């Protein structure tokens, strides 16, 4: 093979590598500054979010911290261009100790006193009203890539059934929650949220590891402002199967569904 024949091949390889590098760089910038993809692996936010929902997290909502970059590698501490989260937001955040990303609903703001009594949230001494809203049904079968079975209040045939309520938080945000009966986290002490930190809970109240359990007991505890990654605004795609390309399991009614 002559030198003249080698040069076009080398140039073609260089162009391919350059294109790939630019594509990765642009994708990294987009993911860092604007929207981060997030796949729902567990049922802690049912029925607001289902196992297999795929969404983009709005990273502009709260500004940027070290956790805005992949692997938490942004070269600064604190937060820049910070926006304040609102009670009721569904937020993706970095767990304070185990370095995993979680998604929960923001319940308590800095300075709030939070307590759960008989499954009802009390915020600064006032109960967040819950109105019965029928039941939530799903097939009792392994879900998603992890293959976990759903937690049920009771079974009807092959259906897994949970009682559903509409809860309204101070400020007027209303959203769906699920209940399967009395559990240890349905009654808690009073938590006073420290300055610069937040209190989160899952909408699937009896199947959620959240701020009701302290980090010392493998819970979430309070979450620092710096650990907030972004706000979940809309489900883009949803699949009930183990793999996203199992098109017969796609939930087309959830495509581009707003997160409430």
């Amino acid at each position: 093979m002559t030198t003249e024949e080698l040069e076009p091949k080398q140039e073609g390889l260089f162009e391919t590598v350059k294109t790939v590098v630019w594509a990765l760089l642009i994708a990294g910038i987009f993911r860092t500054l604007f929207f981060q993809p997030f796949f729902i692996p567990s049922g802690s936010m049912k029925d607001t979010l289902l196992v297999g929902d795929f969404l983009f997290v709005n990273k502009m909502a709260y500004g940027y911290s070290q956790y805005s970059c992949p692997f938490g590698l942004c070269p600064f501490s604190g937060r820049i261009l910070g926006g304040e989260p609102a009670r009721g937001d569904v937020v993706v955040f970095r767990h304070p100790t185990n370095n995993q990303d979680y998604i929960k609903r923001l319940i308590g703001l800095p300075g709030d006193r939070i307590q759960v009594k008989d499954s009802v949230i009390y915020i600064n001494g006032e109960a967040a009203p819950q109105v019965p809203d029928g039941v939530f049904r799903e097939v009792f079968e392994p879900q998603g890539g992890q293959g976990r079975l759903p937690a049920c209040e009771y079974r009807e045939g092959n259906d897994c059934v949970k009682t559903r309520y509409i809860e309204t938080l101070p400020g007027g945000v209303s959203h769906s929650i699920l209940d399967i009966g009395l559990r240890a986290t349905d009654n808690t002490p009073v938590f006073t949220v420290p300055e610069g930190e937040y209190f989160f809970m899952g909408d699937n109240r009896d199947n959620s590891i959240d701020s009701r359990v302290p980090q010392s007991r493998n819970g979430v505890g309070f979450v620092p402002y710096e650990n907030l990654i972004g706000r979940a605004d809309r489900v883009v795609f949803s699949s009930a199967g183990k793999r996203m390309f199992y098109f017969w399991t796609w939930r087309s009614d959830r495509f581009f569904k707003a997160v409430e």
Side-chain angles (χ1 to χ4, degrees), residues 26-255:
I26 292 170
I29 293 172
F30 183 86
R31 182 185 185 280
T32 299
L33 296 180
F34 302 110
F35 298 97
Q36 176 178 321
F38 192 85
F39 189 76
I40 304 300
S42 71
S44 69
M45 282 296 293
K46 292 176 182 175
D47 63 337
T48 303
L49 297 171
L50 303 182
V51 177
D53 281 351
F54 180 82
L55 48 87
F56 282 100
V57 178
N58 180 356
K59 302 183 79 169
M60 297 174 285
Y62 311 133
Y64 307 96
S65 73
Q66 69 177 92
Y67 300 109
S68 299
C69 294
F71 311 109
L73 295 178
C74 282
F76 55 85
S77 60
R79 200 165 198 96
I80 61 174
L81 303 177
E84 292 298 322
R87 194 191 317 276
D89 284 358
V90 177
V91 179
V92 172
F93 59 87
R94 184 65 51 86
H95 189 285
T97 60
N98 70 17
N99 209 36
Q100 295 181 354
D101 291 345
Y102 282 49
I103 185 166
K104 307 288 180 185
R105 190 176 297 275
L106 176 54
I107 300 296
L109 303 174
D112 282 344
R113 290 175 288 108
I114 308 295
Q115 186 176 22
V116 181
K117 295 190 288 187
D118 296 329
S119 304
V120 176
I121 298 175
Y122 287 75
I123 301 175
N124 298 321
E126 297 293 326
Q130 295 180 1
V131 178
D133 189 42
V135 297
F136 172 71
R137 294 176 179 271
E138 57 187 336
V139 178
F140 186 73
E141 63 182 7
Q143 297 182 341
Q146 297 179 356
R148 295 178 179 173
L149 290 169
C152 313
E153 182 179 3
Y154 58 91
R155 297 267 304 277
E156 286 186 352
N158 201 34
D159 282 355
C160 175
V161 186
K162 304 175 183 67
T163 301
R164 178 166 51 200
Y165 297 90
I166 300 299
E167 178 178 81
T168 301
L169 300 173
V173 173
S174 295
H175 59 97
S176 172
I177 62 171
L178 303 180
D179 183 74
I180 64 173
L182 192 62
R183 295 292 188 272
T185 51
D186 287 332
N187 287 281
T188 72
V190 176
F191 299 99
T192 300
V193 185
E195 191 64 32
E197 301 189 17
Y198 297 88
F199 188 98
F200 289 91
M201 291 175 65
D203 290 348
N204 192 3
R205 290 290 161 78
D206 297 320
N207 192 28
S208 173
I209 299 173
D210 51 40
S211 293
R212 290 172 290 180
V213 179
Q215 296 159 22
S216 60
R217 291 168 47 203
N218 298 317
V220 171
F222 301 121
V223 178
Y225 181 43
E226 185 177 4
N227 289 53
L228 307 189
I229 293 174
R231 186 181 64 219
D233 291 332
R234 190 172 297 273
V235 175
V236 177
F237 172 83
S238 184
S239 172
K242 287 188 66 174
R243 299 288 186 270
M244 290 180 66
F245 58 80
Y246 291 176
F247 64 87
W248 57 91
T249 67
W250 293 356
R251 306 181 185 108
S252 58
D253 60 318
R254 296 188 64 79
F255 290 8

